[in-house]
Amino acid sequence: MSQNRLKPLLRARAIQKRVKELGAEITSAHRGQALTLLALLDGAYCFVADLARCIDLPDLRLHFSRASSYGSGTTSSGTVTLEPLPDFSNRTVLLVDDILDTGRTLQAVKTSLNGAPVRTCVLLDKPTRRVPEGLQVADYIGFTIPDTFVVGYGLDHDGRYRHLPDICVLEA
Ligand code: IMP
Ligand code: MG
């Protein structure tokens, strides 16, 4: 197995602090609403688990779906594969993903929700990576980061490093 160097970019304590802030913001913006968090697996598993516990709303539901755009490399394959989504009518949907990179994933999920209103929340944003067909912005962003490949706190490289509590830059 090849060895990569991991350089910490965001420590667990800073991540937890920011997730709490996002949870409070989402709570006050959606008071009185029936909110469903639509979390994209596998990458968002840590983020949504922490975020949901920082949202104080009585009618909060979680739905998980699998979206994949990466193969085993560190650049997007360009094609997003999505599981079919249920009907979320009468609920506000907040799409939760680990990272907004080219924007293709958020674009594909929004399209498959058939134009229903959806808000978006990502832990990380790499704005310099956006492609024209996926010119996406998220409503809630944890951290804006430079164009580097990161792992940890749910993010993987070829299936590895998801369990790390810190978010680290993967150096060859
Ligand atoms: P997008 O469709 O290009 O915006 O890519 C979004 C998806 O690519 C994310 O949900 C991640 O699963 C994956 N991804 C993008 N950048 C990284 C990274 O730096 N590390 C790990 N996964 C990434
Ligand atoms: Mg993902």
Side-chain angles (χ1 to χ4, degrees), residues 89-165:
S89 38
N90 303 321
R91 301 192 65 83
T92 303
V93 174
L94 179 65
L95 177 57
V96 179
D97 204 2
D98 49 3
I99 185 163
L100 178 52
D101 187 32
T102 64
R104 288 190 180 107
T105 305
L106 289 199
Q107 175 72 34
V109 178
K110 281 183 171 177
T111 303
S112 67
L113 284 165
N114 294 322
V118 57
R119 311 212 74 210
T120 49
C121 175
V122 294
L123 178 67
L124 305 174
D125 184 17
K126 280 195 239 176
T128 56
R129 293 264 305 153
R130 226 63 101 239
V131 292
E133 72 264 33
L135 265 185
Q136 298 293 321
V137 283
D139 297 297
Y140 301 96
I141 294 168
F143 301 93
T144 299
I145 62 165
D147 179 13
T148 51
F149 196 83
V150 289
V151 295
Y153 195 67
L155 293 140
D156 76 308
H157 176 240
D158 210 4
R160 298 170 67 199
Y161 309 118
R162 287 195 200 278
H163 64 294
L164 301 177

Side-chain angles (χ1 to χ4, degrees), residues 16-116:
Q16 295 308 322
K17 182 172 175 278
R18 185 68 188 123
V19 170
K20 262 191 191 160
E21 290 169 359
L22 288 173
E25 257 186 75
I26 292 165
T27 302
S28 49
H30 295 86
R31 242 179 251 295
Q33 294 177 27
L35 183 68
T36 296
L37 303 184
L38 169 57
L40 299 183
L41 296 173
D42 300 324
Y45 91 96
C46 281
F47 179 38
V48 79
D50 289 339
L51 182 68
R53 286 176 290 175
C54 296
I55 298 176
D56 186 14
L57 293 173
D59 190 1
L60 181 73
R61 294 185 197 178
L62 277 111
H63 185 87
F64 298 91
S65 188
R66 181 160 274 112
S68 29
S69 62
Y70 273 78
S72 59
T74 55
T75 52
S76 173
S77 64
T79 319
V80 179
T81 321
L82 254 194
E83 282 177 359
L85 295 172
D87 180 12
F88 292 115
S89 38
N90 303 321
R91 301 192 65 83
T92 303
V93 174
L94 179 65
L95 177 57
V96 179
D97 204 2
D98 49 3
I99 185 163
L100 178 52
D101 187 32
T102 64
R104 288 190 180 107
T105 305
L106 289 199
Q107 175 72 34
V109 178
K110 281 183 171 177
T111 303
S112 67
L113 284 165
N114 294 322

